[in-house]
């Protein structure tokens, strides 16, 4: 990735600078798009006359900018600018929003919405096709479930996809999954105009910047968005100020020619949502044992161990990062067995050096975790999933039963084993919300899976950079890219998972840099400014 030019040399002072270079730092100098110095207020005096700009932080907190390691940018923007059903309390409310959106967008060729979750509605069912036809006024409508692995559609959209009824996952009146869902998604996205797509991408990147996010990993692919969507997004990010965009293209690689094509698209890896399975919410995550609330199914397998092995071996030999979407325990077993087979073919050292990554990795066993550590696989995970669907009475428990649900998203065990973590949102599945993501990891609904705020924060800043092979970024030390955010935050503290941690680590004299108090129920930090490569990409308006 190219660094963005920095027009000025800036001294920031009179604040709190979160840096391992100096745990008590109050000032920082940025020069030519990189961190030049971090230190104390007294030492800052010597820099004041030699810089182009001095910023008085007035007690604000400066941290590395966040990296959201799993985003679908256009879909996020469409939800921000269009029909978002997230949080609807009833089926009737959802249908009402569809009617209002259809009336407000009379010129759109297709209506696209996201976020319904029938498990949260008293009706306990998704909208029927007839209800959607009426609410949309007979127009094409594509409406994804909260997990984006199934969708309900109108008859007018069905009519745009030849032979749809013959594809796996088709339902005469219920949500579409598997191949049928992928087919209608392709048709829906094809109907989005270039202007609509660019509007959505700008909206998503602007929201990310306003939340202190300096980089996003775009998880694109032929079954998700399309080549024009990815290349257009990368072009937009290169031409306009905003967060950095790192692109992934989820297509299987079998040869050096395939790998070259991935690079030609501008992607850094054949990874992201290369599906090994689906999702728990849509009963398509692949399990070893049947679902508790659907005992007739164990989900859907899209790739087996042999397919995983072929992809990992080809990518490793081409010097390309590989990766997969894997949620269920059977899917993760296929990933581990496939990576092991690839390692036997091309060499374990080469596999480890490639830093292949697994998205979601929710239903891990101790054996899976050990294999992740053995092969240096990055776990790209979304703590907000647990916040939304975990707990004794959440969706996970409904799908799997409480005993299996308690095993999901074992972040503490991953860190103990030395598995690299990169945190993200999978937006629009869960919203862009970096401090909320850190809070969700630190206050996991299953206490034994909790990690410290500091560990979660590191995984959401430096972890995203490490996931793309950059060990020199995501931290405020001299020489690192000047990607940072300025926050209004309360008292800084050191929060740990439980009181068994030695008191000394939370004592200010220990030299452990503090972070905002993220105790649930409290206010999260507010972003004042976001800077990428020394260039301001968001500044909160004066109030």
């Amino acid at each position: 990735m190219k660094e963005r030019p920095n027009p000025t040399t800036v001294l920031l002072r009179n604040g709190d600078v979160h840096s391992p270079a100096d745990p008590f730092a109050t000032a920082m100098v940025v020069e030519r798009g990189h961190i030049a110095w971090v230190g104390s207020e007294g030492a800052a005096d010597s820099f004041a006359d030699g810089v182009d700009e001095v910023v008085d932080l007035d007690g604000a907190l400066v941290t590395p900018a966040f990296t959201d390691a799993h985003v679908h940018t256009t879909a996020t923007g469409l939800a921000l600018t269009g029909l978002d059903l997230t949080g609807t309390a009833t089926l009737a409310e959802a249908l009402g929003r569809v009617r209002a959106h259809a009336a407000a967008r009379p010129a759109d060729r297709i209506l696209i919405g996201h976020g319904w979750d029938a498990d949260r509605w008293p009706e306990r069912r998704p909208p029927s096709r007839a209800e959607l036809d009426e609410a949309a006024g007979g127009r094409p409508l594509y409406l994804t479930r909260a997990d984006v692995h199934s969708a309900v559609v109108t008859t007018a959209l069905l009519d745009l996809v030849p032979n749809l009824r013959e594809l796996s996952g088709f339902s005469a009146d219920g949500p579409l999954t598997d191949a049928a869902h992928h087919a209608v998604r392709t048709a829906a996205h094809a109907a989005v105009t270039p202007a609509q797509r660019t509007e959505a991408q700008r909206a998503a990147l602007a929201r990310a910047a306003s939340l202190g996010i300096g980089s996003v990993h775009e998880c694109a692919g032929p079954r998700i968005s399309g080549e024009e969507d990815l290349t257009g997004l990368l072009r937009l990010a290169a031409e306009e100020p905003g967060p950095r965009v790192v692109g992934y293209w989820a297509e299987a690689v079998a040869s050096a020619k395939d790998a070259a094509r991935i690079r030609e698209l501008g992607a850094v890896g054949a990874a992201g949502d290369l599906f090994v399975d689906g999702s728990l919410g849509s009963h398509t995550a692949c399990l070893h044992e049947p679902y508790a609330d659907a005992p007739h199914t164990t989900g859907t397998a899209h790739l087996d161990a042999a397919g995983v092995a072929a992809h990992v071996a080809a990518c490793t030999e081409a010097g390309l990062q590989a990766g997969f979407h894997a949620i269920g325990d059977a899917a993760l077993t296929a990933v581990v067995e496939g990576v092991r087979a690839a390692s036997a073919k091309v060499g374990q050292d080469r596999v480890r050096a490639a830093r292949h990554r697994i998205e979601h990795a929710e239903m891990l066993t101790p054996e899976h975790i050990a294999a992740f550590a053995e092969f240096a696989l990055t776990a790209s995970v979304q703590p907000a999933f647990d916040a939304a669907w975990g707990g004794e009475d959440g969706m996970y428990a409904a799908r799997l039963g409480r005993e299996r649900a308690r095993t999901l998203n074992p972040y503490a065990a991953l860190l103990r084993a030395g598995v690299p973590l990169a945190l993200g949102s999978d937006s629009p599945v869960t919203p862009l919300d970096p401090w909320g993501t850190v809070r969700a990891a630190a206050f996991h609904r299953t206490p034994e899976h909790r990690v410290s705020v500091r560990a979660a924060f590191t995984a959401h800043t430096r972890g995203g950079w490490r996931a793309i092979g950059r060990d020199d970024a995501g931290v405020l030390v001299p020489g690192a890219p000047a990607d940072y955010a300025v926050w209004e935050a309360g008292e800084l503290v050191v929060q740990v998972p439980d009181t068994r941690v030695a008191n000394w680590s939370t004592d200010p004299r220990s030299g452990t840099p503090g972070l905002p108090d993220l105790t649930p129920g409290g206010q999260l930090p507010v972003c004042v400014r976001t800077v990428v490569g020394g260039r301001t990409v968001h500044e909160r308006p004066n109030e």
Side-chain angles (χ1 to χ4, degrees):
M1 287 186 303
K2 64 182 181 181
E3 304 292 353
R4 298 168 187 256
N6 175 29
T8 58
T9 302
V10 180
L11 167 64
L12 299 93
R13 63 185 306 176
N14 188 29
D16 288 295
V17 179
H18 186 86
S19 171
D22 183 347
F24 306 108
T26 63
M28 180 172 78
V29 173
V30 174
E31 186 174 17
R32 296 190 180 92
H34 288 75
I35 308 300
W37 172 84
V38 174
S40 66
E41 191 63 28
D45 291 335
S46 63
F47 291 98
D49 293 335
V51 300
D52 299 304
E53 181 183 1
V54 177
V55 176
D56 184 351
L57 294 169
D58 193 24
L61 170 67
V62 182
T63 71
F66 286 100
T67 293
D68 192 313
H70 192 120
V71 173
H72 302 286
T73 306
T74 302
T76 296
L78 289 171
L80 289 170
T81 60
L83 177 54
D84 186 2
L85 301 184
T86 303
T88 49
T90 67
L91 171 58
E93 180 187 351
L95 290 170
R97 288 198 192 180
V98 172
R99 290 188 193 93
H101 181 72
R105 310 280 297 214
D108 288 1
R109 291 184 293 182
I110 189 165
L111 303 171
I112 295 180
H114 165 74
W116 62 269
D117 186 353
D119 291 329
R120 296 181 181 273
W121 296 341
E123 297 89 349
R124 306 292 293 182
R125 68 169 180 86
S128 69
R129 191 151 298 138
E131 289 170 328
L132 288 176
D133 286 347
E134 181 276 327
R139 297 162 65 187
L141 168 69
Y142 171 71
L143 203 57
T144 50
R145 190 187 180 279
D147 59 8
V148 198
H149 282 269
S150 59
V152 289
V153 302
T154 56
T155 303
L157 181 56
L158 293 181
D159 293 341
L160 297 178
V161 185
N163 305 317
L164 179 67
R165 291 163 178 80
E166 300 171 12
L167 298 179
S168 62
F170 177 79
S171 170
D173 195 45
L176 307 183
T177 63
D178 201 21
H181 175 221
H182 297 150
V184 295
R185 175 160 54 190
T186 298
H189 288 169
V192 174
T193 66
Q196 282 179 295
R197 185 169 62 230
T198 301
E199 175 195 16
Q201 291 170 347
R202 283 199 181 104
L205 294 177
R207 173 63 65 87
S210 75
L211 295 169
I213 297 171
S215 300
V216 298
H217 295 182
E218 166 67 15
C219 292
R223 298 167 70 180
I224 302 162
S225 50
E227 292 184 11
E228 289 185 2
D229 187 87
L230 174 62
T231 57
L233 173 63
L234 295 176
R235 185 166 55 251
L236 180 70
E239 293 174 352
E240 299 183 6
R244 302 173 193 263
V245 177
V246 178
Y248 284 96
W249 185 251
E251 191 165 13
V253 169
S255 65
K257 182 178 179 180
D258 292 342
R261 181 174 168 278
I262 300 289
R263 291 190 173 98
E264 287 170 2
L265 290 173
V268 301
D273 280 332
L274 182 53
F275 296 119
V276 180
D277 66 346
S279 73
L280 291 166
S282 292
H283 293 100
T284 52
C286 193
L287 313 181
H288 283 303
E289 300 294 334
Y291 283 84
D293 61 348
H296 59 283
T297 183
T298 57
T300 305
H302 295 294
L303 276 177
D304 59 13
V308 170
H311 181 67
V312 171
C315 286
T316 303
E317 290 178 330
L320 189 68
Q321 191 179 28
F324 306 93
H325 161 121
I327 287 178
D329 53 358
L332 288 160
T333 295
V335 166
V336 165
E337 290 177 351
V339 173
R340 192 176 300 282
S343 178
K345 178 181 179 182
V346 303
Q348 181 169 324
D349 288 345
R350 293 179 69 191
V351 168
R352 287 178 59 87
R355 302 195 189 190
H356 302 310
R357 55 188 282 171
I358 313 302
E359 309 300 314
H360 316 309
E362 292 199 77
M363 207 171 172
L364 292 160
T365 66
E367 292 75 21
H368 295 146
I369 294 172
F372 272 47
E374 180 183 358
F375 299 114
L377 301 176
T378 294
S380 171
V381 298
Q382 296 74 40
F385 287 7
D386 174 74
W389 304 314
E392 295 291 291
D393 300 311
M395 183 270 287
Y396 290 152
R399 293 289 185 270
L400 303 173
R402 290 180 176 177
E403 184 176 348
R404 279 192 294 177
R406 290 188 195 104
T407 69
L408 295 187
N409 303 304
Y411 304 139
L414 285 163
L415 286 180
R416 283 195 301 268
V419 176
L421 291 186
L423 304 192
S425 63
D426 198 8
S427 179
V429 175
T430 56
L432 299 168
D433 180 15
W435 284 114
T437 295
V438 173
R439 172 187 278 173
F443 294 92
H444 197 295
R445 289 180 180 272
T446 305
E448 58 263 36
H449 299 329
R450 293 174 180 171
V451 298
S452 69
V453 167
R454 184 184 182 192
F457 176 80
T458 299
H460 211 356
T461 50
R462 198 169 192 178
W465 284 92
R466 286 173 167 167
I468 60 169
R470 290 282 299 270
D471 294 329
D472 62 335
V475 62
L476 301 182
V477 297
D483 289 24
Y484 63 90
V486 181
W487 306 92
E488 280 187 2
E491 181 184 0
L492 303 185
V493 298
V494 178
Q495 286 182 292
V496 293
D498 58 52
T499 56
R500 291 174 293 177
V501 177
N503 289 335
W504 177 248
S505 70
T506 62
D507 189 299
R509 292 170 296 171
S510 71
T512 303
L515 285 165
D517 185 347
L518 301 184
T519 302
Q523 183 177 350
L524 294 173
V526 175
C527 185
V528 176
R529 178 184 296 184
T530 305
V531 176
V532 175
R535 187 176 189 180
T536 298
V537 299
H538 166 76
E539 192 159 16
R540 190 180 63 173
N542 291 328
E543 295 179 350

